Structures are given as C-alpha cells and as structure tokens.
Amino acid sequence: MNNFKKLISKLWKSTSGRIGLILVALFLLLALGAPLLSPYDPVKQNLILRSSPPSFSHLFGTDLFGRDILSRLIYGARVSIGIGLGSAFLAVILGSAVGLAAGFLRGRTDTVLMRIVDLLLGFPKFFILLLVVGLGSPSIWLTASVLGALSWMEIARVVRGEVILIREMNYVKAATALGLSPMNIALRYVLPNVSGSIIVSATLLIGTMILIEASLSYLGFGVQPPDASWGTIMNQGRIDPLGTWWISVSAGLAIILSLIGFNLLGDSLRDVLDPRTENAQS
Amino acid sequence: MLAYSIRRLITALPTLFFGVSLTFFIIRLAPGDPTDRFLTPSMSPKIKAAITEKFGLNEPLPVQYMTWAKNVVLNFDFGKSFANGREASQVILDALPYTLLLSSLSLLFGVLLGLISGVYSALKAGTRTDRAITSFLLFFYSVPSFWLGLILLGIFSIELGWLPGSQISSIFHERLSFFGKIGDYASHLVLPVLTLGLTTAPVYGRFVRSSMVEVLNSDFIVSARARGLSERKVVFNYGLRNALLPLISILGTSFPALFSGAVIVEVIYSLPGMGRVMVDAALGRDYPVIMAASVVAFIAVIIGNLLADIGYAVADPRVRIGDSS
Amino acid sequence: MLDSEKLILRIEELSISYQSSGSGFWGNNKEIVAVNEVSLSVGRGETFAIVGESGSGKTSIAMSILGFVKPAAGTIEFNDLNLFSLDSKQLRETRRLIQPVFQDANSALNPRMTVETILGDGIAISDENEKREKTISLLKSVGLSPDFLKKYPHQLSGGQKQRLCIARALAPEPELIILDEPVSAQDLSIQAHILRLLSEIKKTKNITYLLISHDLNVVRILADRVAVMRSGIIVEESSCEKFFSDPTHPYSQELLENSGLIQRA
C-alpha cells in the first residue's frame, strides 16, 4: 500500500502522469458506478426523442431509438474498459508465465516457447479476430478471451528479455547458493523485479485492446446487443456522420480520451519504473 | 543475403501451413452456416440439405480439409465463392491491388510525416514546439482510424463535397483520358490515405523522436559538436543516420497493423479491397473466400517479418543473421 | 603440502572456456580459454587467496565452484564429493555449505525484499520465532542492529549492504565462503571495518575463506596462502609470508612492485 502511494505521488509529479492518472481514474469510476452515474436507463427507447441533438435533458443527445447517449456511453465504459482490462489481464498472465519460463529455464524450453511465440506473432491478428469473433455471436467474455489469447506474445518477449538480465544478477546467484528451489527463485527473486516492465506493457496493452475491440464492434463484429461498447455506439452514427454528429463525436471522444489516458499512464509508468532511474534514487 | 531470405521463407512455411490449417478448422467449428444466406425460415430442410451437398459441406471435416488442401497445393484451386460463384482466388486477386495501393501510399505518407515530426520534435526537445508535436502525435496515436475516417468523410465529402467519399473511381471513369483516370483514382484515395496515414504516423513519430533524442545525447554526437562540425552535418550525417536504423526494423513488423487498418478504412470508404472482401466473406460464412484471404494475410505477415529482419541486419551489421536469440 | 584429510576443496586440472560471438556479418565463434588446467587445494580453516589482474581467470574458478559456470574439463571436490557428479537434490544441499560474498553489494541484494526475508531465506528453520531470533543474531554478528529487519536494501549504506551480504552468507552455516573482491567496491574507511569483521568471523567460526582479489593489501590482511594467476594458469603458489617477503615468479614481483608493497630491487 505504501509503495502504491509512493508510485502515485511519483506519477503525479509530471504533467503527463497527472493527466493519465486522472483520465484512467475517471473512466474506471464511470465503469464501476454506471448505475449511479447515468442519468437515464441506457436501453430505454423513446421514439418521440429519436436522434435529437444535445440538450439540457440529454447532454450528449439521443440515438436513433431515442436512447440517451450519455447513459449509453457510461454503461459502454463497463464493456469497453472491462474488455480492455480483462483481455490485458489474460495477456499479462499468459505472457509473463511464458516469458518467465523461457528466460529463466533457457535451453530447450526457451527454444520451444519462443518458436511458438514467433509462430503466433506471424498470425494476422485482426483477421483471426474478425473470423473468431465475427463468426460466433460473441459475448463480452469470449471477445475478451480471444483478444487476450492473441495478444500475450509481445509481453512474453519483453518479460523473457528482462528475465535473462535479472537471472544474471548476483542476488539470484546468492539465492541459488542458498539452495532455494528454482520455482522459489523464479517467483520471489526474478518475477518481482520484472514487474515494472510488466505493469508498463499491461497499461499500454489495455489501450490497444480497447482500440481493437472498438474497431471490431464498429464493423459490427464485436459485442452484440443489448450489450454495447463504445464501438457499437459509434456504429450507429456511421450512416449520417455529420447529421447525427453528436453520436460519432461523443463516442469517439470516449474512446480517444480513454486511450490517451492509458497511453499517458503507460508512458509515465515507464519513466517512473525504469530500473535505471529507480537505482539512481536509492 | 538472398540465401538467407530463401531460407527464412522456407522456415516460414510451417507457420503458413499451421496458421492456415488452424484457420480452416476455426471457421468450420464456429457457429453459423453458409446455407443461412440462401434460406428463409420457411424453406424445407430438404433444400438446405441439397445446398449443403452442393458445397461439399456434408463430408466429415478432416475429409473436407484434405480435399481443400489437395486442390490448393496441386491446382492452386481455392474453390468457388458461395456468394457469387466466382473463383475465390480471383476474388482475392481482384481486390489485392487496391489494398496494396492504399497500404503503400499510407505507409509512405505515415512514415514521412512521422519522420519529419519525430526528428523536428527531437531537435526541439523540451521546448513548446516539442510538446505541441508530442501532443499531436499522442492524439493521433489514440484516435481510432474508423473515427477519423468517419469525421473526414463527413466533413470533406458529405458536407463540403470537395472529395469523393466512396468507391475507387467515379461512374464516368471509363470515359476519362489516361491522366483523367489517374486524377480520378487520386481524388478517391485522398481521404483513405489521409485517414490511414495520420493514424500510422504517430507509431513512427514517437519511435523516431525517442531514438533521435537518445542519439543526440550520445557521446559521439557531443564529440562531433565539440570538433566544430556544423549543426546541419551533425544532425543529418550523424544523428539522423543512427536514429533511422531502428526505424527500418519496425517498418516490417508494422505490416499487420497496417493491414488491419486498411481493412477498416476500406469498409468506411467502400473501397473494393481485401477489407471489404474479408468482412463480407466473414459475415456470409463464405468459406472458400475466407480461406483464400487468410492465405494472403499470412503471407503478408511473413513477408513483413522477413523484411523487418533483413532491414535490421542491413541497418546494424553487428546483428548476426540466423541467430535465433 | 597439505594433509589430504584436512582438505575442504580440491580442484584438479580445471579448464574453463567461453564462447565469444565474433563480430562481422556472419560472425565467427571464438573459444576463449579463461582457465587452463588449474589444480589447487584448500585446507579446512585456512584462507586461500587467488590473486591476479582482471581477466586472469580467478573469478571463473570461483563461479565454477559455486556451480554457475560449467567447466570444459577437470574436477572440483568439496569434502571429497565430486560436485559434478551430484544429483540436483544433493547439489542443493552441498551448495548451502559454499556461500559467496560478491564485490557489488547493490546487485547482490534483491531490491524487493526486506532484510528479514533476505536473511530468512538462508535459514533452514521453520519455526517463526526461532527463525527471527536466528536472523537477529546474524545481524548482530555482522554489527547491524535489529532495527534493520524491516528495511529494504536501498535504505542501507554501502557498508551496511556488504555486512548484510556477509550475514546472508553465514545464514546456512557454511563451511566455505568465497569472497569475490569483498571490499574493493567500498570506501577506504569501510574497507577496514569489513576486513576486521571478516577476520573476526573467521576466528569465532570454523570457516574456510577462498579470497578472490586483485588487491594485495586485502590479501596480506586476510590470507594464509596465495596463488597468483595470470592468463588462466597459476604461476606461483606459496604461503603468505613467503609471497610477500620473497616472491619467486617475475610476475608476482611485478604485481608487488605495482601495488607499492615492496621496493623495486
């Protein structure tokens, strides 16, 4: 907890860290507090108010079915951010496990695992997503799982590279000399010292995942109604992008602002967690 | 180098084989049925069965796979599209040039824009100009291409009517002179290339800026300056050259992202490229076309990775080619 | 020479080589011989020093005793056990009896662990209270107060870190401690304190030191016997007194002259 506070205060020192923190916190808050924060029921149709521009009662206007855009976006945060977090989480677990095993054990395990990583990196990700997510009637869970399962390889590479460096550190040698088991050393000596890079990659990956999910949903392949992600909501504005500009603009801003948030946070985390700067302060 | 490239392509064959085979089974096992497109709920099961048989879908999956693989390998025959009966390979070959044109123009635009803004930003590091460029790059890094495409389409095509917003050519294209035809294509490509280029530029711009800043702070630049070389020479001969090397290596690996970006942009601007074909095929469960498209997509990624490796080896002679680690 | 019953470590015809990846487009792998058929014996309770310049191969020997570098040829026997013929469980048990103290204490301490965990990992006691008592007594034995238990390495000074490293090496009650340039990263005033601490530990516990150093001042304070290494081979081996008063090999004489410990003849 103490470490967490220190990290936040370090991030807060730079402008980009501050903006990133605020934006990410804002969107997490919206997603968590959706029922309390949204002014209307996001699925309730109001045919009298179809496609009405922003007004005092509907700040971001209404969509083709008269549903309140703001409420839909707030509930959409649950889907978009949820899929982003969920898929990044899965990718981090898979990528860290593979990267740690490959970098720590080296030898044949490393060769085999990295072959698999190279093989999967050779897959055209978006096309596979289009096929898997597009051919089924994807639930939020399925979308997040497929996204995560196709995105862990970069993290595995980053983690492996770091683990190879950490493995040569004297504290790992000292632990080996103490007769600790390889599993113990990998999990308690190596992994915690790679966590910085993992956190950075994960944060940046959340943004990428939100973007990919939005693209899929926009094309009509993603989450199916009644669930709606920001991409699904934008899809409604595509027929007359300027006539119903408030749909495209507000949904687009939600995506852009959340991505800016996660990207800024990731960049600032990289500056703060960089082992070089971290050692310098001790 | 040629020998290396050939060897790399041969070692990529398992990826191609494995990936394409996996795709075959994924699309067959996913829910949805190609016969849906011809059926209304009132149609009898008998007609459905007849259609299923016509497409060879009643055989066990492994048998279908073997038949498909045999036809592809021996005759380069991907089967006929369920949707319109054309050869699937022809459908893809017709669409591919548009995607290649869109991708390469956008890549050119994106790299140039990224390079110029990245280098300029690095030279002005820490100033207000640097912050402005960095913010600009971050904004477009975070903008979904479909959103940008939609906004540009709305403003420049629908509202202002300056540029066409759909298709690759106008209806009177055939009556135009040679240069008129080129101009016609160009006007149709402005918005798509702008959309794809603006969203890819930040990837390179951010990268170029950080490597350029690093190079400019390195010892040999400091000593070059100390030796009294002109700033111009320091920046271009020493700085830029060293900052450019890493860029080459990420160019190839950005192929897949460019490809998926092109898919979306093509759908928005109704261009007759691979994106349109892939989305339609996926929605209609047009198996032969999906499979032909997936072969092309895998090959594109493999070539991209190969170019990245070659670029890397050319850029940095210290990297030993063939070293797997 | 030494009584074979009293030997703790016997190295025979040890050779260690490294692959260096060559430069150039296709690269050529070159084999670099770091240690060339070296034999030496260390008696129980003595301090044996290997001196030499960097690149002489002295650290490679230390690393192969610790099991981090696989030799190309030769044997290492510890307590009459061939280290290369042990299964992994035996090896882990034997390893606890050979502990390293590294030159750079910064990289030798896990930055994510407290002092208590760092030391606790070396103590083979499961009872929490006993373990804590042992940890505190270890801290005291290297001159650190129990207040340090909850601290992280970066909250310690350079000298305190090296003391912590020594405490960790003592934790599994080893028979042999390999001191790899134990003080050369420290300030001069701290060097004296650490060296005094090492001598004291040696007196109270029956521990053997294998000292790896390029600093003849350190060797003179700690060592009983000295082996001089150059380019992978031992050029001279003698008792400490003889080495400092009457070195036979020209290279030893050169080393002593350069360190200012004897006058040029």
Side-chain angles (χ1 to χ4, degrees):
Chain A
M1 213 51 213
N2 200 14
N3 283 342
F4 182 69
K5 255 190 216 157
K6 243 170 42 191
L7 183 65
I8 299 287
S9 75
K10 267 196 232 166
L11 286 170
W12 195 259
K13 276 182 199 144
S14 70
T15 317
S16 53
R18 226 165 16 231
I19 299 174
L21 275 176
I22 292 173
L23 284 173
V24 168
L26 174 77
F27 281 105
L28 289 179
L29 194 73
L30 284 180
L32 288 173
L36 298 171
L37 295 168
S38 58
Y40 296 92
D41 180 346
V43 291
K44 190 162 177 255
Q45 305 190 356
N46 184 343
L47 297 183
I48 303 162
L49 275 176
R50 270 189 307 198
S51 305
S52 54
S55 62
F56 278 113
S57 50
H58 296 277
L59 284 175
F60 287 2
T62 61
D63 70 3
L64 309 181
F65 300 98
R67 294 173 294 197
D68 180 50
I69 302 271
L70 178 60
S71 308
R72 283 177 67 69
L73 286 176
I74 293 176
Y75 272 90
R78 290 193 152 184
V79 179
S80 291
I81 305 268
I83 288 180
L85 288 176
S87 53
F89 182 74
L90 180 66
V92 164
I93 298 288
L94 285 171
S96 307
V98 171
L100 185 62
F104 190 72
L105 299 172
R106 298 305 300 271
R108 188 160 296 185
T109 318
D110 187 22
T111 315
V112 171
L113 286 177
M114 283 302 115
R115 264 292 147 74
I116 296 174
V117 165
D118 285 343
L119 192 79
L120 291 178
L121 276 175
F123 273 47
K125 187 157 99 182
F126 194 76
F127 185 55
I128 302 274
L129 277 168
L130 212 61
L131 287 177
V132 179
V133 179
L135 290 175
S137 47
S139 65
I140 295 174
W141 286 106
L142 179 73
T143 311
S145 313
V146 174
L147 271 170
L150 285 171
S151 311
W152 57 269
M153 292 81 73
E154 296 289 350
I155 292 189
R157 277 196 166 171
V158 171
V159 170
R160 173 181 173 271
E162 290 269 310
V163 167
I164 288 173
L165 293 181
I166 299 286
R167 211 176 71 119
E168 296 306 315
M169 298 295 277
N170 282 337
Y171 56 80
V172 174
K173 287 188 174 144
T176 314
L178 290 177
L180 301 180
S181 72
M183 189 61 119
N184 190 344
I185 294 173
L187 293 182
R188 290 177 58 239
Y189 283 78
V190 179
L191 191 59
N193 288 295
V194 189
S195 59
S197 325
I198 297 180
I199 291 170
V200 172
S201 328
T203 311
L204 294 172
L205 190 63
I206 295 171
T208 314
M209 296 287 99
I210 293 176
L211 182 62
I212 296 181
E213 189 283 324
S215 309
L216 284 171
S217 292
Y218 174 77
L219 292 177
F221 283 87
V223 181
Q224 301 296 311
D227 293 326
S229 78
W230 293 332
T232 328
I233 298 168
M234 259 214 73
N235 184 299
Q236 288 206 320
R238 83 176 188 280
I239 298 157
D240 187 359
L242 288 202
T244 53
W245 57 270
W246 54 91
I247 302 181
S248 339
V249 169
S250 52
L253 279 181
I255 298 169
I256 294 169
L257 286 179
S258 69
L259 281 173
I260 289 180
F262 281 105
N263 288 335
L264 278 178
L265 186 62
D267 285 350
S268 316
L269 276 169
R270 176 178 293 148
D271 294 340
V272 172
L273 293 174
D274 187 338
R276 279 172 292 185
T277 52
E278 201 177 18
N279 279 348
Q281 54 105 44
S282 64
Chain B
M1 192 55 93
L2 185 68
Y4 167 73
S5 308
I6 292 168
R7 205 175 67 221
R8 268 298 304 267
L9 283 177
I10 290 169
T11 51
L13 282 177
T15 310
L16 185 63
F17 170 77
F18 182 71
V20 170
S21 306
L22 195 68
T23 310
F24 186 93
F25 287 100
I26 287 174
I27 61 167
R28 295 307 170 99
L29 295 173
D33 195 314
T35 57
D36 291 350
R37 86 158 48 229
F38 306 103
L39 291 176
T40 52
S42 57
M43 262 185 194
S44 72
K46 212 172 153 189
I47 299 177
K48 185 180 161 103
I51 297 174
T52 308
E53 200 181 330
K54 183 183 167 229
F55 289 146
L57 298 173
N58 50 350
E59 305 263 11
L61 206 49
V63 177
Q64 287 185 43
Y65 172 72
M66 289 311 294
T67 318
W68 177 82
K70 207 175 79 188
N71 283 333
V72 170
V73 175
L74 297 181
N75 311 322
F76 198 69
D77 176 10
F78 285 85
K80 288 190 167 66
S81 162
F82 293 167
N84 50 26
R86 296 177 58 214
E87 286 291 335
S89 52
Q90 200 53 49
V91 172
I92 297 298
L93 288 177
D94 285 349
L96 195 56
Y98 296 110
T99 304
L100 289 179
L101 186 66
L102 172 63
S103 305
S104 46
L105 286 176
S106 307
L107 187 68
L108 195 68
F109 174 55
V111 168
L112 275 178
L113 185 62
L115 197 60
I116 293 166
S117 51
V119 168
Y120 195 68
S121 187
L123 289 177
K124 301 269 172 190
T127 65
R128 204 173 290 168
T129 319
D130 173 36
R131 274 198 293 278
I133 296 176
T134 315
S135 312
F136 164 85
L137 290 176
L138 178 73
F139 178 76
F140 280 102
Y141 190 66
S142 306
V143 163
S145 53
F146 61 85
W147 188 80
L148 185 64
L150 214 56
I151 297 294
L152 291 179
L153 177 80
I155 295 173
F156 293 104
S157 182
I158 300 179
E159 285 302 306
L160 299 172
W162 290 354
L163 289 161
S166 73
Q167 302 300 334
I168 186 69
S169 55
S170 10
I171 34 171
F172 47 84
H173 183 80
E174 287 310 316
R175 283 184 276 147
L176 291 170
S177 64
F178 176 72
F179 290 106
K181 279 181 181 166
I182 290 182
D184 189 36
Y185 279 137
S187 69
H188 281 85
L189 279 169
V190 171
L191 290 179
V193 168
L194 205 58
T195 306
L196 195 50
L198 275 174
T199 48
T200 39
V203 179
Y204 308 113
R206 283 157 62 93
F207 191 81
V208 167
R209 183 188 176 276
S210 67
S211 58
M212 189 74 183
V213 165
E214 202 169 301
V215 169
L216 286 178
N217 285 327
S218 64
D219 292 342
F220 70 90
I221 290 284
V222 174
S223 74
R225 282 201 174 119
R227 273 186 282 134
L229 268 81
S230 75
E231 192 61 23
R232 222 187 135 83
K233 227 173 183 171
V234 170
V235 170
F236 286 97
N237 288 14
Y238 290 76
L240 197 54
R241 222 173 60 192
N242 282 282
L244 273 184
L245 300 183
L247 181 68
I248 298 171
S249 68
I250 69 159
L251 271 179
T253 42
S254 61
F255 263 42
L258 195 69
F259 196 73
S260 65
V263 170
I264 293 163
V265 171
E266 281 170 9
V267 171
I268 290 170
Y269 291 102
S270 312
L271 299 177
M274 290 278 293
R276 190 70 254 171
V277 169
M278 274 159 63
V279 170
D280 286 345
L283 281 173
R285 275 67 163 167
D286 195 344
Y287 295 154
V289 177
I290 292 177
M291 289 314 299
S294 88
V295 171
V296 173
F298 274 100
I299 290 177
V301 173
I302 288 168
I303 291 177
N305 286 343
L306 177 68
L307 289 179
D309 282 2
I310 291 178
Y312 204 59
V314 170
D316 188 352
R318 280 169 305 175
V319 176
R320 222 154 32 83
I321 261 179
D323 191 354
S324 60
S325 59
Chain C
M1 282 303 288
L2 291 154
D3 232 333
S4 73
E5 290 153 42
K6 287 189 187 158
L7 282 187
I8 186 165
L9 186 74
R10 188 187 5 228
I11 294 175
E12 290 205 32
E13 304 198 332
L14 186 74
S15 293
I16 300 167
S17 50
Y18 297 99
Q19 297 281 328
S20 89
S21 39
S23 48
F25 193 78
W26 299 104
N28 290 314
N29 273 352
K30 256 200 317 209
E31 211 177 56
I32 293 172
V33 179
V35 176
N36 195 1
E37 296 188 1
V38 163
S39 301
L40 57 88
S41 305
V42 180
R44 193 173 293 279
E46 75 168 338
T47 298
F48 188 94
I50 304 179
V51 300
E53 290 161 323
S54 62
S56 61
K58 55 190 196 304
T59 299
S60 298
I61 294 181
M63 288 302 132
S64 68
I65 298 168
L66 287 163
F68 298 125
V69 169
K70 227 179 161 173
T75 55
I76 298 177
E77 278 179 22
F78 176 77
N79 284 345
D80 296 325
L81 282 170
N82 184 347
L83 288 181
F84 304 125
S85 63
L86 300 178
D87 63 41
S88 62
K89 193 166 169 269
Q90 284 173 311
L91 184 65
R92 238 188 278 162
E93 279 163 13
T94 315
R95 265 192 159 157
R96 290 176 59 81
L97 302 176
I98 310 172
Q99 289 299 310
V101 172
F102 297 104
Q103 171 177 10
D104 177 20
N106 279 320
S107 72
L109 296 166
N110 185 347
R112 310 270 166 185
M113 282 184 172
T114 60
V115 168
E116 185 172 11
T117 324
I118 289 170
L119 291 180
D121 266 8
I123 302 169
I125 299 173
S126 49
D127 182 80
E128 285 300 316
N129 286 331
E130 272 182 61
K131 194 169 191 168
R132 172 167 283 229
E133 264 171 45
K134 177 84 196 276
T135 312
I136 291 171
S137 83
L138 275 171
L139 277 179
K140 282 184 182 156
S141 72
V142 296
L144 293 175
S145 94
D147 302 341
F148 286 104
L149 279 179
K150 294 290 170 212
K151 295 216 158 139
Y152 285 89
H154 70 88
Q155 295 168 297
L156 272 56
S157 73
Q160 289 166 340
K161 281 183 204 169
Q162 194 59 302
R163 283 169 190 268
L164 181 58
C165 288
I166 294 169
R168 173 181 55 198
L170 292 172
E173 297 178 343
E175 295 175 11
L176 173 68
I177 293 184
I178 295 178
L179 303 167
D180 186 4
E181 308 276 9
V183 294
S184 50
Q186 308 289 344
D187 297 339
L188 218 55
S189 61
I190 296 164
Q191 287 198 2
H193 284 116
I194 301 273
L195 289 175
R196 224 177 281 167
L197 174 68
L198 287 169
S199 313
E200 208 176 292
I201 290 168
K202 175 90 184 294
K203 252 180 256 166
T204 49
K205 305 180 183 197
N206 184 27
I207 286 181
T208 311
Y209 284 152
L210 178 65
L211 173 67
I212 310 290
S213 186
H214 69 280
D215 186 345
L216 293 180
N217 287 297
V218 174
V219 172
R220 191 163 64 167
I221 293 171
L222 286 180
D224 301 319
R225 280 198 305 137
V226 180
V228 181
M229 274 194 85
R230 187 189 193 183
S231 318
I233 51 175
I234 291 183
V235 296
E236 175 167 359
E237 191 186 328
S238 64
S239 74
C240 203
E241 295 93 54
K242 178 153 185 309
F243 175 74
F244 283 101
S245 58
D246 181 23
T248 48
H249 197 274
Y251 181 66
S252 309
Q253 291 164 355
E254 195 184 312
L255 278 180
L256 283 162
E257 277 163 20
N258 290 344
S259 66
L261 285 172
I262 59 167
Q263 298 294 309
R264 202 171 281 270

